[in-house]
């Protein structure tokens, strides 16, 4: 399952099609069964963003506002075409979403960014496998399992210094699903 904390301090747990919200003030947990299974979690305010399949079985990013647990809805935010799949989830910063996809129709990868409710814009196209997307201060990055970091500059992947631990040692591997 997946866990995070909402802006109002409540904890949210997502496991398949079940979401549980724990209120530390009241000590109560509310569990809700959703209409589909989900397999990723990012939080912005009191809204979660997650990946599931829509009614056409296409991978989709959904948003679920948890402000009022008696009235929640699963809203399609970004739906991929047939044969296109999210590569290691997505990154969320405010209402901006950065995501890398693998397109089996062309055997390639593309990085997209959606700002607010605007249409997604392709930031880069590459052949590099296994890169997770990370949005930091509105700057797009791609991060590899083997600690390779690319900053996207005008559609080009510009390699950055490796990430290091607090003692300055390079990371041996990066869990790109958790960045």
């Amino acid at each position: 399952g997946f866990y995070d904390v909402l802006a109002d301090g409540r904890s949210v747990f997502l496991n398949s099609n079940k979401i549980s919200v724990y209120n530390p003030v009241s000590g109560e947990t509310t569990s809700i069964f959703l209409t589909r299974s989900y397999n990723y979690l990012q939080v912005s305010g009191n809204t979660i963003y997650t990946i599931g399949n829509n009614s056409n079985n296409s991978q989709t990013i959904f948003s679920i506002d948890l402000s009022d647990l008696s009235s929640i809805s699963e809203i399609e935010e970004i739906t991929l075409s047939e044969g296109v799949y999210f590569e290691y989830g997505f990154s969320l910063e405010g209402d901006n979403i950065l995501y890398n996809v693998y397109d089996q129709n062309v055997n390639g990868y593309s990085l997209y960014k959606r700002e607010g409710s605007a249409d997604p814009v392709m930031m880069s196209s590459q052949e590099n496998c296994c890169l997770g997307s990370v949005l930091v201060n509105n700057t797009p990055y791609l991060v590899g399992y083997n600690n390779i970091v690319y900053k996207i500059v005008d559609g080009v992947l510009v390699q950055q210094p490796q990430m290091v631990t607090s003692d300055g040692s390079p990371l041996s591997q990066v869990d790109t699903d958790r960045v």
Side-chain angles (χ1 to χ4, degrees), residues 3 9-10 14 19 24-25 27 33 55 64-65 68 85 101 111-112 116 130 139 141 143 152 154 178:
Y3 166 82
R10 293 177 295 159
L14 177 66
I19 191 164
V25 175
F33 287 93
S55 58
I64 304 171
D65 185 344
D68 179 2
Y85 305 95
V101 298
L111 181 69
Y112 290 90
C130 312
T139 301
Y141 293 88
V143 178
I152 312 308
D154 297 326
R178 305 275 187 237

Side-chain angles (χ1 to χ4, degrees), residues 14-33:
L14 177 66
N15 188 11
S16 187
N17 69 330
K18 181 181 177 184
I19 191 164
S20 297
V21 180
Y22 172 72
N23 185 332
V25 175
S26 67
E28 294 179 5
T29 300
T30 303
S31 294
I32 299 165
F33 287 93

Side-chain angles (χ1 to χ4, degrees), residues 88-156:
Y88 297 108
F90 58 91
S91 183
L92 182 65
E93 192 175 69
D95 60 356
N96 296 336
I97 302 172
L98 182 72
Y99 58 98
N100 196 27
V101 298
Y102 170 69
D103 186 341
Q104 72 180 18
N105 302 304
V106 297
N107 196 27
Y109 299 85
S110 297
L111 181 69
Y112 290 90
K113 180 179 171 191
R114 188 190 82 176
E115 294 186 350
S117 59
D119 289 337
V121 174
M122 187 168 65
M123 305 295 292
S124 74
S125 181
Q126 71 276 346
E127 295 179 5
N128 301 2
C129 164
C130 312
L131 298 173
S133 55
V134 180
L135 191 58
V136 179
N137 296 325
N138 208 31
T139 301
Y141 293 88
L142 288 170
V143 178
Y145 172 80
N146 54 357
N147 196 12
I148 292 180
V149 179
Y150 298 101
K151 180 178 182 180
I152 312 308
V153 179
D154 297 326
V156 177

Side-chain angles (χ1 to χ4, degrees), residues 29-126:
T29 300
T30 303
S31 294
I32 299 165
F33 287 93
L34 304 168
T35 60
R36 63 188 50 80
S37 292
Y38 293 104
N39 62 13
Y40 193 72
L41 177 67
Q42 292 278 323
V43 170
S44 180
N46 290 323
T47 301
I48 66 167
Y49 291 77
T50 184
I51 296 174
N53 289 344
N54 70 5
S55 58
N56 295 328
N57 209 29
S58 296
Q59 281 198 323
T60 301
I61 295 175
F62 289 86
S63 66
I64 304 171
D65 185 344
L66 299 176
S67 298
D68 179 2
L69 296 181
S70 65
S71 174
I72 66 168
S73 57
E74 301 162 65
I75 298 171
E76 289 187 31
E77 295 287 341
I78 297 169
T79 300
L80 301 182
S81 303
E82 185 176 332
V84 181
Y85 305 95
F86 290 107
E87 181 81 355
Y88 297 108
F90 58 91
S91 183
L92 182 65
E93 192 175 69
D95 60 356
N96 296 336
I97 302 172
L98 182 72
Y99 58 98
N100 196 27
V101 298
Y102 170 69
D103 186 341
Q104 72 180 18
N105 302 304
V106 297
N107 196 27
Y109 299 85
S110 297
L111 181 69
Y112 290 90
K113 180 179 171 191
R114 188 190 82 176
E115 294 186 350
S117 59
D119 289 337
V121 174
M122 187 168 65
M123 305 295 292
S124 74
S125 181
Q126 71 276 346

